Amino acid sequence: MGGANSLQDQYGRTVDYLRLSVTDLCNYRCQYCMGPQGVEKRPHGAMLSVEECVEIGAAAVACGVKKIRLTGGEPLVRRGLLDICRGLRALPGLEELCLTTNGSLLPNLAGPLRKAGVDRLNISLDTLHPDRFAAMTRLGRLEDALSGIQAAEDAGFTNLKLDTVLIGGFNDDEINDFLALTMDHPWEVRFIELMPMGPCAQWEKSCFLPVEHILKNNPALQILSTEGVARRYRLPQAPGTVGLISPVSHDFCGACRRIRVTADGRLKGCLHSREERPLRGLHGEALQSAIRAGIVQKPSRHHLADRPSDTPRTMNQIGG
C-alpha cells in the first residue's frame, strides 16, 4: 500500500501531503487563533479515534500521500498521540511523518515522539519577549517553549523549523532577533504572513505585513531556493536558514500539494474553502474513493488577497 501512484487534481498539481489534525484543543489561547475562552469541548466520540486516524492515514498513503504532518489545536495534548504516530510510521510507502507543536509539552514528549517514529518537528514561536509571549498566547510561558526546543534537540531531532507568524505592531521589531537565531543554530526560522481568518480577520490592516518587508530590510539574505511553500534564504556564514511563507501576498496555491483532514474527520482540499468531505464511517475502497475525490476536486486557489478566508472554522478547528 505504497504512495508511488500520486494523484493529480484537476489543475495538474500532484497531491502527496496530508495534514492530519488529531485534536482541536490547545493549552494556549493565541489571540489570532481563538477567543479568550478557548474552544468548546466536544464529546469524545465526535473526534477521530486513534484507529480512525491511522486508517485515514493508510488510505491517504494508498492514494499517493508520501508525507503526513500531525497538527491540532496542539497535538501534544491528544491522548493516544504516540499510538497514532506508531501506527502511521508503520505504513509502507510513508516517507515522512512530521508534527507541528507549540513546544511547551516537548520536555516530556520529545523523546517518546522520536521513538514513536516522528521524523521532524515544527515549533511555533511568535516572539522572543516573555511578556509578549504571555499576552499573545494568554496561557503560555516563553521559557516552556524554549525548553521544548532544547528537549527536541536532546532527543535527536534535527532540521528543526521554528514557525513565526509575522504581525505588524507585535513582533515586526524582532525580525533581526529571529534572524540572529540562524547564526547560532542550524534551525530554519520561517516567517509566515498573518492570514485574515478567525478572530484576526477584522484586525487592522497594519497587522498584515508581507514577508517582502523582511527582504527589503535585510539585503544580506541570500536566496537558496524558491520551490515549495517556503522561499528559503541564508545569511552569510549562518548554519541555519530563513524561510519566507507568503500565503497572502504571493499565494502559493499553484504549487500546493496538500490536503487536510480535520479532527472530526472531514477532508478539506483547501484551508480557506468552505468545502468539506466527511470521511468518518468510511472504510476500505469507499474511504480511498472519498480521498481521491477530494484530491481531484481540490480548489484552484484561495481569495485572501480580496477578502477574508471563506472557511467558517478557526485555525485550531482545521489544523494549523
Side-chain angles (χ1 to χ4, degrees):
M1 193 166 59
N5 300 312
S6 297
L7 282 178
Q8 288 190 339
D9 66 12
Q10 59 186 321
Y11 303 100
R13 297 170 296 193
T14 297
V15 176
D16 59 3
Y17 176 12
L18 167 65
R19 296 177 72 100
L20 176 61
S21 177
V22 296
T23 183
D24 63 355
L25 300 178
C26 188
N27 55 341
Y28 288 177
R29 303 285 184 269
C30 291
Q31 292 188 35
Y32 54 76
C33 186
M34 64 181 79
Q37 74 285 354
V39 296
E40 181 180 351
K41 287 192 175 183
R42 301 170 67 181
H44 184 69
M47 299 290 111
L48 292 172
S49 67
V50 169
E51 294 76 16
E52 286 175 314
C53 287
V54 176
E55 184 179 17
I56 288 172
V61 171
C63 292
V65 162
K66 297 181 176 67
K67 174 181 177 180
I68 295 178
R69 175 176 299 281
L70 300 179
T71 68
E74 169 50 50
L76 300 195
V77 305
R78 165 67 196 251
R79 284 185 295 177
L81 174 65
L82 296 176
D83 292 328
I84 294 171
C85 294
R86 284 187 283 263
L88 294 173
R89 182 68 277 177
L91 296 175
L94 182 65
E95 296 178 2
E96 191 174 23
L97 178 62
C98 307
L99 184 144
T100 293
T101 173
N102 63 37
S104 63
L105 301 178
L106 283 176
N108 291 325
L109 284 171
L113 285 168
R114 187 73 178 147
K115 291 178 181 177
V118 176
D119 298 302
R120 192 165 49 76
L121 296 175
N122 284 41
I123 301 174
S124 301
L125 188 66
D126 293 332
T127 176
L128 298 172
H129 292 230
D131 55 339
R132 293 181 182 180
F133 191 95
M136 177 57 71
T137 64
R138 295 192 175 104
L139 297 176
R141 301 190 309 166
L142 177 61
E143 60 191 271
D144 294 335
L146 297 179
S147 295
I149 294 171
Q150 184 61 56
E153 290 199 314
D154 292 344
F157 284 102
T158 58
N159 301 317
L160 287 179
K161 295 184 177 182
L162 304 187
D163 290 342
T164 301
V165 178
L166 184 62
I167 305 174
F170 172 69
N171 62 5
D172 52 316
D173 61 342
E174 297 184 59
I175 291 171
N176 287 340
D177 296 331
F178 277 108
L179 293 178
L181 292 178
T182 71
M183 297 297 296
D184 300 324
H185 305 278
W187 303 335
E188 180 168 311
V189 174
R190 309 198 315 168
F191 295 95
I192 306 169
E193 290 177 346
L194 179 67
M195 293 180 286
M197 62 182 297
C200 68
Q202 306 304 320
W203 286 9
E204 294 290 332
K205 287 186 177 181
S206 59
C207 295
F208 298 87
L209 283 181
V211 291
E212 299 302 320
H213 174 81
I214 296 170
L215 290 178
K216 180 180 178 181
N217 292 286
N218 294 276
L221 285 169
Q222 302 167 345
I223 193 161
L224 297 176
S225 69
T226 58
E227 297 178 4
V229 167
R231 290 176 288 158
R232 298 176 65 244
Y233 299 80
R234 190 192 303 274
L235 289 171
Q237 283 80 55
T241 56
V242 177
L244 301 182
I245 302 178
S246 48
V248 181
S249 65
H250 292 78
D251 79 62
F252 41 73
C253 301
C256 183
R257 58 188 182 93
R258 67 186 65 176
I259 53 172
R260 298 169 181 265
V261 173
T262 63
D264 55 359
R266 303 182 73 87
L267 185 150
K268 291 178 68 73
C270 173
L271 169 64
H272 301 289
S273 173
R274 288 182 172 273
E275 298 172 17
E276 299 181 352
R277 185 176 298 271
L279 300 181
R280 296 196 82 185
L282 302 178
H283 307 281
E285 178 54 38
L287 178 57
Q288 291 184 31
S289 179
I291 292 174
R292 283 194 293 267
I295 290 173
V296 171
Q297 296 171 16
K298 181 176 165 64
S300 62
R301 62 181 298 270
H302 63 60
H303 302 280
L304 293 185
D306 306 316
R307 61 177 186 268
S309 178
D310 290 335
T311 181
R313 294 183 185 246
T314 55
M315 182 65 99
N316 67 291
Q317 295 174 321
I318 301 171

